[in-house]
C-alpha cells in the first residue's frame, strides 16, 4: 500500500508531460505541412497546365503564331542540310540508275503501275476479308490517287511548287491573314504551301480539270492534314469569280502557265475581272512563262487596257531555287487604284 501511495504522485505528473509532448509534436508537424497544403498561386502554376499550353495542343495554329513561320529557304538552312547530309554520308548522290537501284535493296521496288495493280487486286497491304469485306473507310480514296501518279502531270519537279510559293510569298510580303487566289491550281503543287501558311478560308482557286480537282480534294488535302484550313476550290473555266463571293478582295492573285492555254479574249475578260478583285495599292497579280496576250496587242494598246482596268505592269522577275534545280520567270502587275 505504501508503494502504491508513493507511486501515485509520480504517475500524476508523468501523464500531463506525455500529453504536452504529443501536442507539441502535432503542432510542429502541422507547421511543416500547412504551407504544402495551402492553395498558393506558385503551387498551382507548377502542377496545372496553363491555358496557352492547352491551346497549343488542342487547337490549330492561329494567325499570330503562323507569322513566325518563314516563307524563304535561307543559306543557313542549306548549310544545316549539307552538314546533316555529310554526317550521314549522303553528300554525294548516286550517278547512275544502277546505283540508285542498289540503294533500294530490301525495299520492294515497284513502279507506280505495279503499285496500282496491287491496290486494285489485293486492296492494299491490310484489308478486311470475307463478311468484313465491305469498305469501312468514310471516304475511300481511289487507287490511282494513292500511288500519286498526278505528281508527274506537270513535266516539272513536284518540289518546284515550294519554290513558287517562296518567291510569291516573299515578293508580296505575304502574311497569314492575306487573301490569295490561284487561277488553275491543278493538284495543289503550289497551293498546298499557301494553304498551310495562310489562315483558314484564305486560299481560293478556280480549276477546270476534273482529275486535278479529284487529286487535290480527295488525296492532297486529306493526306497533308489540311482539311481544317477550308480552302475554297471551285471547278470552272469561264473566269467567273463571283463563285467566291461578292466583295472578296485579294492581296495576291497568280497564274502559273495557265494563260498560255486560254484564248486571248478570255484572258482579257479574266484580267478585267481580277483587277476589280485586287486590293487597292497592295494587291499584286503574277503571271508566269509569258504575256503574249499583252504583246500581241502592242505595248501602247496593252498599257491602255491595263490602265483602264486599274492595273500597272511592274516588270519581269526571275526566281532561282536554292535546292531543286528550278527557276521561274514571272510578270508582275499591281493595282493602280488607291
Amino acid at each position: 500500500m505504501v508503494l502504491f501511495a508513493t507511486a501515485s504522485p509520480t504517475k500524476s505528473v508523468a501523464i500531463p508531460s506525455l500529453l504536452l509532448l504529443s501536442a507539441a509534436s502535432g503542432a510542429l508537424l502541422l507547421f511543416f505541412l500547412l504551407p504544402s497544403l495551402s492553395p498558393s498561386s506558385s503551387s498551382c502554376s507548377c502542377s496545372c497546365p496553363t491555358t496557352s499550353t492547352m491551346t497549343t495542343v488542342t487547337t490549330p495554329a492561329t494567325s499570330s503564331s503562323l507569322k513566325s513561320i518563314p516563307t524563304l529557304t535561307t543559306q543557313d538552312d542549306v548549310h544545316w542540310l549539307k552538314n546533316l547530309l555529310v554526317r550521314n554520308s549522303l553528300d554525294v548522290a548516286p550517278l547512275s540508275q544502277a546505283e540508285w537501284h542498289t540503294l533500294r535493296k530490301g525495299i520492294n521496288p515497284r513502279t507506280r503501275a505495279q503499285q496500282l495493280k496491287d491496290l486494285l487486286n489485293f486492296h492494299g497491304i491490310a484489308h478486311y476479308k470475307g463478311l468484313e469485306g465491305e469498305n469501312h473507310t468514310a471516304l475511300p480514296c481511289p487507287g490511282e490517287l494513292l500511288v500519286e501518279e498526278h505528281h508527274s502531270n506537270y513535266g516539272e519537279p513536284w518540289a518546284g511548287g515550294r519554290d513558287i510559293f517562296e518567291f510569291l510569298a516573299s515578293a508580296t510580303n505575304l502574311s497569314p491573314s492575306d487573301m490569295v487566289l490561284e487561277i488553275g491550281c491543278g493538284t495543289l503543287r503550289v497551293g498546298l504551301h499557301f494553304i498551310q501558311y495562310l489562315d483558314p478560308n484564305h486560299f481560293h482557286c478556280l480549276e477546270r480539270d476534273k482529275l486535278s480537282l479529284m487529286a487535290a480534294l480527295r488525296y492532297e488535302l486529306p493526306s497533308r492534314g489540311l482539311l481544317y484550313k477550308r480552302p475554297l476550290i471551285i471547278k470552272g473555266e469561264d473566269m467567273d469569280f463571283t463563285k467566291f463571293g461578292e466583295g472578296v478582295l485579294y492581296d495576291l492573285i497568280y497564274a502559273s502557265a495557265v494563260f498560255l492555254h486560254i484564248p486571248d479574249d478570255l484572258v482579257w475578260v479574266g484580267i478585267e475581272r481580277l483587277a476589280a478583285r485586287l486590293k487597292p495599292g497592295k494587291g499584286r497579280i503574277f503571271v508566269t512563262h509569258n504575256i503574249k496576250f499583252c504583246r500581241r496587242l502592242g505595248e501602247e494598246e496593252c498599257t491602255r487596257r491595263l490602265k483602264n482596268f486599274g492595273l500597272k505592269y511592274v516588270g519581269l522577275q526571275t526566281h532561282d531555287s536554292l535546292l531543286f534545280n528550278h527557276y521561274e520567270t514571272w510578270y508582275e502587275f499591281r493595282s493602280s487604284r488607291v
Side-chain angles (χ1 to χ4, degrees):
M1 293 293 296
V2 174
L3 291 175
F4 182 78
T6 306
S8 179
T10 306
K11 278 189 174 183
S12 65
V13 174
I15 291 173
S17 299
L18 181 61
L19 289 175
L20 182 61
L21 181 61
S22 299
S25 300
L28 186 62
L29 182 60
L30 285 174
F31 176 78
F32 286 110
L33 286 178
L34 280 175
S36 63
L37 295 174
S38 173
S40 64
S41 58
S42 60
S43 173
C44 184
S45 64
C46 295
S47 60
C48 302
T50 63
T51 302
S52 60
T53 302
M54 292 183 66
T55 302
T56 302
V57 172
T58 60
T59 63
T62 61
S63 175
S64 59
S65 64
L66 279 172
K67 287 181 181 178
S68 62
I69 299 176
T71 57
L72 275 177
T73 299
T74 66
Q75 291 291 348
D76 286 342
D77 296 332
V78 176
H79 180 69
W80 172 86
L81 178 57
K82 284 182 176 180
N83 286 339
L84 194 59
L85 290 171
V86 170
R87 184 175 181 178
N88 288 283
S89 301
L90 299 173
D91 49 314
V92 179
L95 300 177
S96 68
Q97 288 295 319
E99 289 180 272
W100 278 108
H101 189 76
T102 58
L103 293 179
R104 303 182 69 181
K105 183 178 180 180
I107 302 175
N108 188 4
R110 296 176 297 163
T111 64
R112 283 176 173 161
Q114 291 170 329
Q115 292 176 41
L116 178 58
K117 182 179 178 181
D118 288 348
L119 280 171
L120 296 177
N121 292 338
F122 306 110
H123 310 290
I125 297 174
H127 61 281
Y128 292 103
K129 297 180 180 180
L131 296 177
E132 291 291 324
E134 62 185 87
N135 200 320
H136 290 245
T137 306
L139 184 62
C141 185
E144 286 79 2
L145 302 181
L146 289 173
V147 298
E148 299 181 344
E149 285 187 338
H150 56 278
H151 283 188
S152 303
N153 289 351
Y154 293 93
E156 295 180 350
W158 176 263
R162 175 68 194 183
D163 283 331
I164 296 174
F165 163 76
E166 290 192 0
F167 164 70
L168 293 175
S170 61
T172 57
N173 194 25
L174 197 71
S175 67
S177 61
D178 287 343
M179 293 293 299
V180 174
L181 170 65
E182 180 175 4
I183 312 300
C185 58
T187 57
L188 297 179
R189 182 173 72 119
V190 181
L192 284 172
H193 303 284
F194 279 102
I195 294 168
Q196 185 176 30
Y197 177 75
L198 295 170
D199 288 343
N201 305 298
H202 280 230
F203 179 85
H204 293 173
C205 166
L206 187 69
E207 172 59 54
R208 68 177 182 176
D209 183 64
K210 184 177 180 179
L211 174 59
S212 295
L213 286 167
M214 289 273 288
L217 298 177
R218 300 193 62 175
Y219 181 78
E220 293 299 337
L221 286 178
S223 68
R224 304 297 183 104
L226 293 175
L227 293 176
Y228 79 97
K229 287 300 187 83
R230 302 293 193 270
L232 185 54
I233 302 172
I234 302 294
K235 187 176 187 299
E237 53 184 336
D238 51 2
M239 295 293 181
D240 180 10
F241 305 111
T242 61
K243 301 171 182 178
F244 299 107
E246 297 295 335
V248 179
L249 297 179
Y250 298 99
D251 300 272
L252 167 64
I253 299 172
Y254 68 96
S256 178
V258 172
F259 290 166
L260 303 173
H261 311 293
I262 301 176
D264 286 0
D265 290 344
L266 184 57
V267 172
W268 279 110
V269 169
I271 292 291
E272 182 177 10
R273 293 173 178 175
L274 291 173
R277 287 181 167 263
L278 207 57
K279 283 187 179 178
K282 179 183 179 182
R284 294 289 189 274
I285 295 177
F286 281 85
V287 178
T288 189
H289 285 66
N290 66 61
I291 50 173
K292 290 181 179 179
F293 63 89
C294 194
R295 288 176 177 161
R296 280 190 276 260
L297 291 177
E299 182 177 349
E300 184 177 346
E301 175 61 17
C302 179
T303 302
R304 185 191 68 80
R305 286 198 186 186
L306 292 174
K307 184 177 180 180
N308 289 340
F309 297 159
L311 289 175
K312 182 178 180 180
Y313 175 60
V314 177
L316 173 67
Q317 298 195 43
T318 300
H319 170 67
D320 292 293
S321 169
L322 290 177
L323 297 172
F324 300 119
N325 308 333
H326 179 267
Y327 79 95
E328 293 265 349
T329 55
W330 290 88
Y331 297 85
E332 180 183 359
F333 304 83
R334 68 172 177 84
S335 171
S336 59
R337 295 188 177 95
V338 178

